Amino acid sequence: AQKVTQAQTEISVVEKEDVTLDCVYETRDTTYYLFWYKQPPSGELVFLIRRNSFDEQNEISGRYSWNFQKSTSSFNFTITASQVVDSAVYFCACMEYGNKLVFGAGTILRVKS
Amino acid sequence: DSGVTQTPKHLITATGQRVTLRCSPRSGDLSVYWYQQSLDQGLQFLIQYYNGEERAKGNILERFSAQQFPDLHSELNLSSLELGDSALYFCASSVEQGGLNEQYFGPGTRLTVT
């Protein structure tokens, strides 16, 4: 069965610091998707990125970057030069055949000014 | 805006009552998923419907049921409510054309049971 582990329950940083959120996943499928979602205080789930299991290229989008390593079953998320607006709960999730999403417990990120 | 709508946004009710949460998927999406986010269990999958039929079940209690109507909107029915059912309930939809499909989430319905 799938499992997603986000070992960091809460991280606090000062604005402009870089921060990395860790995600480790378990799946028996060879084809799967990995996701990151952001949940701001307003409560909605905001899609950030999807990664196909066959594509291990790292991705950068503005201040966000993702590092996918199949060898360690990790899909880590880095925010460069963090801002107060980045404060939210971040969820890593895995989707395998059947399209059910399995979420990690989430990491609370607090960015202080 | 994901294109998925959920009503109501907030719901406050008493223990023992029954409520219905409604979800309208994105235009063209045939599949609807329900997720529950609670402090105890985190975000977990409840149930999936595809084109009117139940496709997959997760950790859904017997007191909960769902259906998807011919116009593809879905309703999640929660009965004999308990304090522990207080949670944020999300609906998501996807095209479901084979393979893996991205899910688009609605804004959620926050249920408070008093």
Side-chain angles (χ1 to χ4, degrees):
Chain A
Q2 294 165 282
K3 185 178 176 184
V4 177
T5 301
Q6 294 180 254
Q8 304 150 307
T9 304
E10 186 170 336
I11 302 175
S12 287
V13 298
V14 177
E15 217 173 9
K16 297 184 184 173
E17 280 187 32
D18 298 348
V19 57
T20 295
L21 310 182
D22 297 333
C23 173
V24 174
Y25 64 92
E26 294 175 31
T27 177
R28 286 178 292 192
D29 278 10
T30 54
T31 302
Y32 52 90
Y33 280 172
L34 298 169
F35 297 81
W36 276 95
Y37 288 87
K38 173 182 179 180
Q39 187 175 40
S42 51
E44 74 271 25
L45 281 170
V46 178
F47 165 80
L48 296 178
I49 190 172
R50 178 188 71 187
R51 214 37 163 178
N52 184 304
S53 55
F54 296 113
D55 182 3
E56 282 192 78
Q57 272 195 322
N58 292 330
E59 181 155 340
I60 298 174
S61 176
R63 295 185 298 106
Y64 295 169
S65 63
W66 291 269
N67 180 265
F68 176 27
Q69 292 196 335
K70 282 177 85 168
S71 60
T72 56
S73 296
S74 65
F75 185 43
N76 297 336
F77 172 32
T78 297
I79 303 175
T80 303
S82 60
Q83 300 175 1
V84 172
V85 293
D86 295 327
S87 297
V89 184
Y90 290 86
F91 291 95
C92 179
C94 181
M95 177 192 286
E96 57 184 27
Y97 181 78
N99 289 310
K100 178 183 74 173
L101 273 171
V102 173
F103 288 88
T107 297
I108 300 170
L109 175 64
R110 300 190 199 280
V111 182
K112 302 174 187 174
S113 58
Chain B
D1 185 354
S2 67
V4 179
T5 59
Q6 288 187 249
T7 56
K9 196 169 175 61
H10 300 277
L11 199 48
I12 301 174
T13 189
T15 53
Q17 295 298 304
R18 173 189 167 94
V19 297
T20 297
L21 313 184
R22 184 188 168 103
C23 167
S24 292
R26 290 188 326 154
S27 176
D29 285 358
L30 299 178
S31 207
V32 168
Y33 305 77
W34 286 97
Y35 292 85
Q36 178 196 56
Q37 185 179 21
S38 66
L39 288 175
D40 297 343
Q41 304 291 331
L43 253 172
Q44 59 175 356
F45 167 73
L46 294 178
I47 197 163
Q48 178 200 1
Y49 275 80
Y50 172 74
N51 206 19
E53 295 193 4
E54 183 183 303
R55 170 73 70 88
K57 249 181 177 176
N59 298 325
I60 187 166
L61 299 171
E62 284 193 15
R63 300 183 286 108
F64 295 2
S65 64
Q67 53 185 325
Q68 187 179 27
F69 294 87
D71 67 352
L72 300 177
H73 91 271
S74 177
E75 292 180 357
L76 179 66
N77 300 296
L78 315 176
S79 61
S80 303
L81 285 168
E82 302 175 359
L83 295 177
D85 298 327
S86 295
L88 189 51
Y89 291 84
F90 287 104
C91 166
S93 73
S94 72
V95 171
E96 204 82 9
Q97 284 181 338
L100 299 177
N101 293 268
E102 184 172 332
Q103 294 177 21
Y104 297 85
F105 281 83
T109 292
R110 187 171 296 279
L111 173 66
T112 303
V113 182
T114 61

